Every structure is written in C-alpha cells, then in structure tokens.
Amino acid sequence: MSEGAAKKEEKPRKFQAIRGTRDLLPPETALWNRAEQTAHQVFASFGFGEIRLPIFEPTELFARSIGEETDVVSKEMYSFLDNPDISNLEEARDAIKEVNPGIAAVGKQEVFELYVSEFISQIEAGLAGKQLNLSSKAQSDFDIVKARFQELLALPDSKDEDRHNKRRHLTFEIIIKVDLLKFGERVSLRPEATASVCRAYIEHGMQQLPQPVKLYYMGPMFRRERPQKGRYRQFYQIGAEVLGGSDAPAIDAEVIEMVMTFFDRLELQGVQLDVNSIGCLNCRPKYVELLRAALLKVKDKLGPDSQRRIETNPLRVLDSKLESEQPIIATLPHIADHLCEECAVHYAAVKHQLKMRGVIYRENWRLVRGLDYYMRTTFEITAQGLGSQNAVCGGGRYDGLVELLGGPPTKGIGFAIGEDRLILSLQESGKAPVQQGRDVYIAWMGERAQATAIRAAKDLRKAGFSVELPPVEQKFGKALGQADKLGAKYALILGDNEVSEGLWTLKTLADGSQAKFTEPDLLEHLSMQKALSS
Ligand code: HAM
C-alpha cells in the first residue's frame, strides 16, 4: 500500500468531551450569564466582593480542610504530581545507577560516593532556592538517602567481610531510594472553594481588614463522581463566605437570606430550605457515640454502606436515601436534643433571625453534610425539576477551619450553589432563553456598498445594536432568507442606488414593510423603536 493510501485509511480520532464534562452552548449560555450577573448584583448589594481563586491547589489543603475520610478527598479528587524541571537531577540519578559499585572494580566506590554527594547537594540547593518541592513521602525518602549515605561514609575502610557486606547493603538501599525519589508536589483540581478562600484569607493577612470579610466566587470545580443528570465531573459553583468577626446568629441568617434573595430574583421554582445544627466539638462527639450505639443495635437491618459508616462516620448514615433504611433512621436520636447549651442557644437564635427576615425554612435533623469542616449551622436548598440530585445549594458554619490551616482563630460561614443544577431547574420551569436574534442584518451588494455597510455596522454596534454583516456579497433574496433564519428584526438594504442617493432601505422582517432613511434618521428611528419595545 502506498504511503498516501495508508494515510487515507487511517481515520482521524473523533474527539469528544471527557465523560462528566460538557460544552455549554448558546443560547443556554445566555441563561448562565444572567444567573452570574444576578449573583454579582445581589451579592454586591449585601456587601460581598468577588475573589478569583486558582483552579488547583496543594492536595494537602483539601485533605486537611474537607477531611481525609470524606468521599470527596478519598475518592473523587483529580490529583497529579506537579513536576518541577529536574533534568539535571535526572542525570545525576542515572549516573548513580550506572556506576553500580556492587561489581567490585577499583575506584568505583569513590565515584559512587562522589555522585551521591553531588545528588544530595543538588537537591538541598533546589530546596533552599525553592525551585524544588518534596512531598512528605519524598522528604522522608530523601532523609533516608542522607542517613544511609552518612553511615556508608562512616564505615572504616577495611577488607573485613562484615563491613564489605554492610557497605554493599547500604549502597543497594541508597540506589533503590534514589531511584524511587519523586520530586514535585501533589496538587489537585479544586473540588470546592471554601478551603481556597480560607487559604487566601490567611495568605493575604485579611484578618487585618475590617471584619467580617465577605467574599464570593464563581467557577468550575472538579469531582470524579458517577455522572448523571445534575451531576458532573466538571461542574460550576457560585459560592460566598463570611470570614472573621463574630459568630452572631444574624450572620448565619443573613447569608441564608442572601442566597434566598438570589433564587427569588431568578424566579427559581419549588425552593425548599432545610436547616439544622450539628453542634460543636464539645457536644457532637457525645451525640456521635450515642448514634453509634443506637446504630449498632440495628446493624443487621442496615445495608453494607451504612454498616461500614457505623465505624467510620455514623452521622453519614443519616444521609442515606436507601428506602429500606428509612424506618430505622426515623427511630434514631436527634442531634437537636443533644446540643450543648451554647449550640442550642445559637441554633434557636439563627431560627429566630431567619423568621425576622421572613425566610421560610424547614428543620431537618438529618442534614449533616458530607464535608468535615462544618459545625453548628448547616443548610441545604432544593429546587424543582432536578430528580435525585436536587440539592441546588449547600452550606454551613465552619469556625476553626482557618485555624486548622495555620491561621488565627476565625469564625466562618458560607454556601455554594451548584450552578449546573440551578440552570437545569430554571430550564425545567420554562426559563430557557430563546435563540438570541440580531437586531439588524445588513444586506449589501457591490464594492461601494460594502464600504458603507462596514461603516453602518460600526455605528449601529456603537449605538448598542447587534448587527450581522455578511462577509461576502449575496443576492438580496438569499440575504433576506439568511436574515430571517438568524431571527433578525430588520434587514438594512444597501445597494448601489441606496449608496449614491444616501437613502438606505430598512425592511421590517416581521411584517415585510419597507421605508427609506438617511443615515442619521435611521439611527434615530431604530433607537426609538428599541426604546418603545423595551
Ligand atoms: P457541597 O454540598 O459539596 O458544598 O456542594 C455545593 C453544591 O454544589 C451542591 O449542593 C450541588 O448543587 C453542587 N454540586 C456538588 N457536586 C456536584 C457535581 N458533581 N455536579 C454538579 N453539582 C454539584 C460545598 O462545596 C461547600 N464548599 C459549600 C460551602 C461553602 N460551605 C461553606 N461554604
């Protein structure tokens, strides 16, 4: 087969968006933009400022905040080693392996020692200059290399068999560790943004600002979950956090009021707010033990997931959607009855504050949330038309998280809205935008007319109209057909006659009527029509 024929047969791969990711296309994106614009307006009206965060952060930031044992951290993160440029280190590593002093040859041991010492100093220089990063595992491997190397150097030079064996053993261990040593830091695509906001709060010394600091964000998050309607691996959140100051219940209530105002502004249908308090480090552990004891008594009646959770995280059993477990869960002790005095007072005050704001809520004692950093207030909002993935917003209080990340003791509360689900719900209730039409389609013919058309397009766009200017000349009939397909309101007809007379023809596509205008009159006419129709 000729090379050309072979090339023809080889069909290029058809690429598709990766499972769980998707393209957002017009006209749907207009609805996304409307939701985001509304968020900017509503959140700003509550005194929040926008923060834009990195898409990836050290894996450890998420592990420490969200919790090692949570599904998000233990199963769902997209993580990778962020390799620095280590070509010089790779060469030094290869050199060590190639010397292989195990095969006794005069001088080999000395060369080996020289290479290892060079390798160690290169890493130390890299670490000191911050060009290199070692994970905690790599750091401990490196410490072993250094320790074994010191032992090797300390061995007296003698032909004694024991010492010879010891030397071989140490050399071998050094080669293996050097070979396995991984450079770079493990980083993860962010599965959520609360941890990053806390990291940024600490990094930028925001505790010096007037407290509390009120921030909001929007953007993609990544979780390797099983994709289904309303659940994606790349999804979008619009979230807000209040950091610092006090833990006054009015703050909890105002944050909830803000997200409800946002949903109201978008006319989201079937909105249901559930609230709960999951206590604090003082009272929750006692409740968890009580719950565990109650669960152990009914263990046999529970499914395998809940059975496992009795040990790992009994609170998560309350999350179970398994039909057969519902009657059992209904008999379990309620956390509200086991809150400490401070938590009980706080929870009652949050509910009172919600009432003062006219926010309608339902108490849901089973609302525990799946991330470790929460304490006291938790809440979730569901909306219409979403099927099983119906939580459109989740949030809660997380006092102590900033401290856990090395910052000062700081109060915190916030929420995140699942934007994909928000849009789905809006679409289901008929809020989908129609294809955005053009205001004016310019049908031009002839070179002179094109120059005029370009100028007309520029002026109309400047005046705020959406204009379609065909790149090549078309017959008028075809141009008008095209204008119709694009949903244009008007066709501006520019031929030789129009250009030489200075009178432009404007056709209203809805009724087919036509009128002639001078250039300034046309702009005035269109602006007036626009004002009348808006
Ligand atoms: P979360 O409950 O994990 O909380 O997520 C918040 C919302 O993001 C969910 O209610 C849901 O609407 C949406 N969401 C989560 N996973 C997916 C997915 N795979 N596909 C589509 N939508 C999804 C948090 O992320 C916390 N950081 C919220 C928070 C902020 N708490 C305090 N401050």
Side-chain angles (χ1 to χ4, degrees):
M1 204 190 301
S2 75
E3 204 184 308
K7 263 197 187 140
K8 250 189 204 160
E9 281 202 359
E10 204 182 285
K11 273 206 181 133
R13 173 178 166 191
K14 239 172 106 185
F15 290 101
Q16 286 188 322
I18 286 173
R19 190 167 133 80
T21 74
R22 63 208 178 114
D23 304 305
L24 304 171
L25 308 172
E28 189 184 308
T29 37
L31 191 54
W32 286 73
N33 281 328
R34 188 157 78 79
E36 288 164 17
Q37 279 313 320
T38 309
H40 287 299
Q41 285 162 7
V42 173
F43 296 178
S45 76
F46 278 78
F48 282 67
E50 185 184 5
I51 181 166
R52 298 195 183 196
L53 300 154
I55 296 286
F56 58 97
E57 301 259 14
T59 302
E60 207 184 331
L61 171 70
F62 301 118
R64 212 184 304 165
S65 333
I66 301 168
E68 297 269 9
E69 299 300 324
T70 58
D71 286 353
V72 171
V73 170
S74 67
K75 299 192 231 164
E76 296 168 1
M77 283 207 295
Y78 286 93
S79 303
F80 54 96
L81 197 66
D82 189 16
N83 287 108
D85 176 13
I86 50 161
S87 43
N88 56 340
L89 275 174
E90 291 298 357
E91 275 169 31
R93 190 203 310 257
D94 289 346
I96 292 170
K97 288 192 298 183
E98 271 164 31
V99 192
N100 192 1
I103 305 162
V106 185
K108 271 207 166 182
Q109 190 66 35
E110 285 77 4
V111 178
F112 175 77
E113 286 169 10
L114 194 74
Y115 283 172
V116 175
S117 131
E118 178 61 18
F119 183 68
I120 291 174
S121 20
Q122 274 192 30
I123 295 178
E124 285 185 327
L127 290 173
K130 297 220 162 34
Q131 304 96 316
L132 257 193
N133 241 318
L134 292 183
S135 67
S136 40
K137 161 92 174 66
Q139 182 65 55
S140 82
D141 283 347
F142 181 52
D143 289 342
I144 294 174
V145 169
K146 285 194 292 185
R148 297 295 170 270
F149 188 54
Q150 284 312 315
E151 281 179 53
L152 184 72
L153 293 181
L155 279 182
D157 199 12
S158 99
K159 296 262 177 310
D160 174 306
E161 183 149 354
D162 267 4
R163 291 216 177 90
H164 179 66
N165 282 341
K166 177 94 180 147
R167 177 169 293 129
R168 281 185 56 157
H169 185 79
L170 286 170
T171 304
F172 190 58
E173 216 184 326
I174 290 170
I175 291 180
I176 289 186
K177 281 284 176 220
V178 162
D179 199 25
L180 288 178
L181 206 54
K182 294 261 190 312
F183 301 102
E185 184 167 29
R186 272 198 91 63
V187 297
S188 297
L189 299 186
R190 60 182 188 189
E192 60 108 55
T194 309
S196 305
V197 173
C198 291
R199 193 257 315 129
Y201 179 86
I202 301 166
E203 186 171 337
H204 302 286
M206 290 192 218
Q207 65 270 22
Q208 310 301 339
L209 302 174
Q211 304 292 302
V213 174
K214 303 198 269 188
L215 299 166
Y216 74 93
Y217 50 85
M218 45 186 82
M221 310 289 157
F222 306 84
R223 295 184 194 174
R224 200 170 190 290
E225 293 191 83
R226 194 172 49 77
Q228 65 181 88
K229 181 185 172 191
R231 189 157 76 194
Y232 310 97
R233 290 180 171 180
Q234 174 172 341
F235 61 100
Y236 296 79
Q237 283 188 343
I238 299 178
E241 316 288 347
V242 179
L243 286 159
S246 79
D247 59 357
I251 297 182
D252 306 43
E254 195 182 64
V255 161
I256 297 176
E257 181 192 359
M258 178 167 90
V259 64
M260 295 300 270
T261 305
F262 169 65
F263 286 156
D264 195 45
R265 204 65 65 82
L266 288 173
E267 296 176 46
L268 187 68
Q269 300 297 303
V271 177
Q272 167 74 54
L273 163 69
D274 281 12
V275 299
N276 191 21
S277 171
I278 58 164
C280 64
L281 288 179
N282 182 16
C283 53
R284 193 174 47 232
K286 290 178 204 150
Y287 169 71
V288 169
E289 276 324 304
L290 202 75
L291 189 63
R292 183 175 278 134
L295 285 167
L296 281 172
K297 285 191 199 145
V298 292
K299 187 172 177 183
D300 299 346
K301 297 185 191 140
L302 298 171
D305 277 350
S306 292
Q307 288 201 3
R308 197 169 24 83
R309 286 183 172 143
I310 296 179
E311 294 314 320
T312 56
N313 190 352
L315 282 177
R316 295 303 307 278
V317 177
L318 305 181
D319 258 356
S320 162
K321 304 257 176 345
L322 214 65
E323 207 52 55
S324 61
E325 293 180 345
Q326 302 310 309
I328 306 160
I329 293 172
T331 65
L332 295 170
H334 290 201
I335 190 159
D337 302 329
H338 301 276
L339 294 175
C340 62
E341 178 67 19
E342 286 92 339
C343 287
V345 168
H346 190 270
Y347 186 34
V350 170
K351 288 184 282 183
H352 174 66
Q353 286 287 335
L354 285 172
K355 281 193 193 116
M356 283 174 68
R357 289 166 167 76
V359 176
I360 297 166
Y361 63 87
R362 177 173 74 181
E363 280 186 76
N364 179 355
W365 68 278
R366 288 174 55 175
L367 180 60
V368 290
R369 314 266 308 126
L371 316 173
D372 278 0
Y373 49 62
Y374 291 113
M375 53 100 64
R376 290 196 174 161
T377 312
T378 54
F379 58 96
E380 226 160 68
I381 302 171
T382 52
Q384 183 175 292
L386 292 174
S388 64
Q389 301 301 313
N390 64 351
V392 75
C393 172
R397 181 162 280 290
Y398 49 85
D399 302 349
L401 177 55
V402 169
E403 205 174 350
L404 188 72
L405 296 175
T410 307
K411 309 290 181 195
I413 181 163
F415 64 80
I417 295 161
E419 195 177 358
D420 307 70
R421 296 183 190 177
L422 170 65
I423 300 296
L424 256 176
S425 180
L426 289 173
Q427 285 170 328
E428 296 276 328
S429 55
K431 296 267 177 323
V434 282
Q435 181 78 40
Q436 186 209 351
R438 316 293 192 274
D439 293 315
V440 183
Y441 187 99
I442 305 184
W444 58 270
M445 256 188 109
E447 211 172 297
R448 270 181 70 207
Q450 187 182 21
T452 308
I454 290 171
R455 201 185 68 232
K458 197 175 277 192
D459 291 344
L460 284 166
R461 284 172 179 150
K462 199 170 161 192
F465 294 98
S466 123
V467 177
E468 191 68 29
L469 177 66
V472 291
E473 187 172 55
Q474 291 167 319
K475 295 232 160 56
F476 282 128
K478 190 164 177 218
L480 291 179
Q482 192 71 8
D484 226 20
K485 270 193 216 148
L486 289 173
K489 288 197 195 88
Y490 303 98
L492 176 61
I493 298 168
L494 294 177
D496 282 344
N497 286 347
E498 279 81 2
V499 174
S500 48
E501 284 172 15
L503 278 178
W504 299 355
T505 305
L506 187 74
K507 189 176 170 85
T508 306
L509 289 163
D511 59 12
S513 63
Q514 268 184 213
K516 288 194 177 255
F517 294 92
T518 62
E519 193 175 341
D521 283 354
L522 177 90
L523 258 179
E524 204 184 308
H525 171 76
L526 287 174
S527 302
M528 199 128 82
Q529 291 300 316
K530 194 172 188 173
L532 284 175
S533 67
S534 64

